[in-house]
Amino acid sequence: MLPALYCVTALLTATQATAAPVPGSVFKDCPDCPEMVVLPAGSFIMGTPEGELGRQPDEGPQHKVTFAKPFAISRFHVTAKELNAYIKQTGVVIKSGDERPGRWCEASKPSYPQGPRQPAVCIDYHEVQAYTEWLSKKTGKRYRMVSEAEREYAARAGSTGPFPFPFDQEGGYQINKHANTYGPKDGYSYSSPVGSYPPNAFGVYDMHGNVYEWVADCKHPDYVGAPTDGSAWIDDKNCERAHMRGNDWGESPIFSRSGNRNDRPKTTRGDFLGFRVVQEL
């Protein structure tokens, strides 16, 4: 017969192992892994109302999305340091590209000066997928690309308007106090170090500027038929275009809205385009 103390300890250990993740809690699975924050289960209205300034037809119809359980998303854009660790440990070669004047990407490095805490950029959709597969294998956890619904849920953080924060001043459409957009007025001519601006209510940073982020979903012209469980909308794994979210350091703030959508061919790489990751809990 097992000692009573052993039984109590075993019970506590089992309870702790199966306890639900606490929303807002932060963790890293390895020194080179992205820092993750747990988002709560719950529902939100995805898309934008017809009266929202800047709204495009692909942002509707609005629909309810429900996450049955919590999930974790990287608090920041995956950083240049974290991508460099992946490159060093695997020997993978990130392709070069982008023929625009002054915008060349050389093996994951932009033409502008990039520090280790700036967002990783110059990486295409398929290379992001490969990175998440490496993270999963390295940690034994289920990492993957972020779905479009997960990204909007994380950006809204319980809010319903275009942004989860106020404009810089009454009557103006500037968000320089909260995001890196539209040139050097906010202090940065290119990407800023991650976490340079306040986090939202979910504890996630840089959701409305700095660099765009790949999401897993294939391009769709609207939300007719979109999933309602928060999963990625991939009706053709070989689709040529995927969505990106969040805006970058050079574009107008109106493209930073929580519900704004954009897309690119999956082979696109640019100094304006990075990514986050999700871990299934």
Side-chain angles (χ1 to χ4, degrees):
M1 185 174 181
L2 292 173
L5 179 61
Y6 177 91
C7 293
V8 171
T9 302
L11 179 60
L12 286 173
T13 302
T15 302
Q16 291 166 351
T18 58
V22 178
S25 58
V26 175
F27 65 90
K28 286 182 68 166
D29 285 321
C30 71
D32 300 321
C33 294
E35 191 171 295
M36 309 295 289
V37 60
V38 178
L39 303 192
S43 300
F44 82 112
I45 301 301
M46 186 173 183
T48 58
E50 292 188 6
E52 183 170 300
L53 184 64
R55 182 188 188 271
Q56 299 297 312
D58 65 352
E59 297 173 22
Q62 289 185 289
H63 57 289
K64 185 178 181 179
V65 174
T66 299
F67 296 94
K69 60 180 184 178
F71 64 93
I73 192 169
S74 42
R75 293 179 83 194
F76 312 105
H77 308 294
V78 172
T79 66
K81 180 180 179 181
E82 290 158 353
L83 183 63
N84 287 342
Y86 162 63
I87 293 170
K88 183 177 181 180
Q89 292 175 36
T90 63
V92 68
V93 176
I94 305 297
K95 296 177 183 177
S96 301
D98 198 340
E99 300 290 345
R100 294 177 299 164
R103 307 295 290 271
W104 180 254
C105 287
E106 182 66 33
S108 85
K109 301 297 180 285
S111 296
Y112 56 78
Q114 183 194 54
R117 289 285 290 171
Q118 283 172 261
V121 291
C122 297
I123 181 169
D124 73 14
Y125 180 101
H126 305 290
E127 290 163 342
V128 173
Q129 274 194 323
Y131 175 82
T132 64
E133 291 166 3
W134 170 76
L135 267 184
S136 296
K137 187 175 295 185
K138 179 181 177 69
T139 65
K141 306 294 177 63
R142 294 172 292 184
Y143 282 92
R144 56 171 172 74
M145 291 183 73
V146 182
S147 76
E148 196 174 13
E150 288 167 338
R151 182 82 188 27
E152 186 168 328
Y153 180 63
R156 291 191 178 280
S159 65
T160 57
F163 302 103
F165 45 74
F167 291 113
D168 291 353
Q169 60 186 30
E170 188 75 23
Y173 206 104
Q174 294 294 324
I175 58 172
N176 298 116
K177 293 180 181 179
H178 294 89
N180 177 13
T181 63
Y182 216 29
K185 184 177 179 181
D186 49 31
Y188 299 97
S189 296
Y190 302 105
S191 69
S192 56
V194 299
S196 295
Y197 299 86
N200 65 24
F202 279 171
V204 189
Y205 293 78
D206 301 312
M207 296 297 280
H208 303 273
N210 211 13
V211 296
Y212 272 104
E213 301 166 19
W214 282 115
V215 292
D217 306 56
C218 294
K219 177 190 174 181
H220 290 89
D222 52 40
Y223 288 132
V224 175
T228 59
D229 62 355
S231 61
W233 194 2
I234 304 175
D235 41 20
D236 176 7
K237 291 184 178 180
N238 296 316
C239 63
E240 295 182 355
R241 299 181 73 94
H243 284 287
M244 64 181 193
R245 289 289 195 119
N247 204 10
D248 64 53
W249 40 266
E251 296 293 333
S252 169
I254 205 163
F255 300 116
S256 301
R257 293 173 298 108
S258 297
N260 186 72
R261 306 174 82 197
N262 211 321
D263 63 88
R264 289 290 187 277
K266 289 180 175 179
T267 53
T268 299
R269 65 186 68 252
D271 59 5
F272 67 98
L273 180 53
F275 66 105
R276 293 179 197 257
V277 296
V278 152
Q279 186 191 121
E280 296 180 10
L281 302 174

